[in-house]
């Protein structure tokens, strides 16, 4: 059975790119899709869970976490880095802790290093 990975992050449609004018929602979405594909190509059963800035984020994450057992949960930099997202980050982290207590938790630093984050904790 393949190692299961859930990658949780802010949907690029809701992200604030004002500090990074070279980034667009489409570019970030392409990075996310490429990372999920890379995980799959290396033997992981991976899926993305993209959330809004809080209206339905907890419900969406809870639903994803309850859909199956995950071996590893990646929490994206967009949930951790902006100070304005701290409360949402805490809520998501506590949901993972409560609903996937056996999963390793890891963090990527950019939309392009998810594979590295996962490999630090679980093998395919």
């Amino acid at each position: 059975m393949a190692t299961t990975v859930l990658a949780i992050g802010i949907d690029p449609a809701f992200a604030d790119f004002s500090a990074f004018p070279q980034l667009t929602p489409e570019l970030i979405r392409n990075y996310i899709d490429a990372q999920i594909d890379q995980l799959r190509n290396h033997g992981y059963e991976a899926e993305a869970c993209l959330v809004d800035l809080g209206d339905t984020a907890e419900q969406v994450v809870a639903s994803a976490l309850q859909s199956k057992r995950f071996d590893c949960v990646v929490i994206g930099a967009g949930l951790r880095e902006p100070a304005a997202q701290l409360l949402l980050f805490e809520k998501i982290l506590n949901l993972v802790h409560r609903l996937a207590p056996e999963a390793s938790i890891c963090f990527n630093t950019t939309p392009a290093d998810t594979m590295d984050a996962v490999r630090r904790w679980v093998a395919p």
Side-chain angles (χ1 to χ4, degrees), residues 11 22 31 70 103 105:
D11 186 317
Q22 72 279 15
Y31 276 121
F70 289 96
I105 298 172

Side-chain angles (χ1 to χ4, degrees), residues 75-107:
I75 299 177
L79 275 166
R80 298 186 325 273
E81 304 274 331
Q85 301 303 339
L86 180 62
L87 182 58
L88 179 57
F89 170 63
E90 288 176 342
K91 289 177 180 180
I92 299 301
L93 189 59
N94 279 300
L95 272 173
V96 172
H97 176 66
R98 188 172 72 248
L99 297 176
E102 295 178 9
S104 294
I105 298 172
C106 60
F107 304 98

Side-chain angles (χ1 to χ4, degrees), residues 5-14 28-29 32-33 35-36 39-40 45-53 56-68 70 72-79 88 92-93 95-96 99 108 114:
V5 176
L6 180 66
I8 303 171
I10 299 290
D11 186 317
F14 296 101
I28 298 301
R29 183 59 195 232
I32 293 168
D33 291 344
Q35 290 296 295
I36 296 300
L39 286 165
R40 290 175 179 156
E45 182 182 322
E47 61 188 75
C49 177
L50 301 177
V51 300
D52 61 22
L53 297 176
T56 65
E58 290 177 84
Q59 178 185 359
V60 169
V61 171
S63 179
L65 289 169
Q66 292 170 331
S67 71
K68 66 175 78 168
F70 289 96
C72 185
V73 176
V74 182
I75 299 177
L79 275 166
L88 179 57
I92 299 301
L93 189 59
L95 272 173
V96 172
L99 297 176
N108 65 8
T114 300

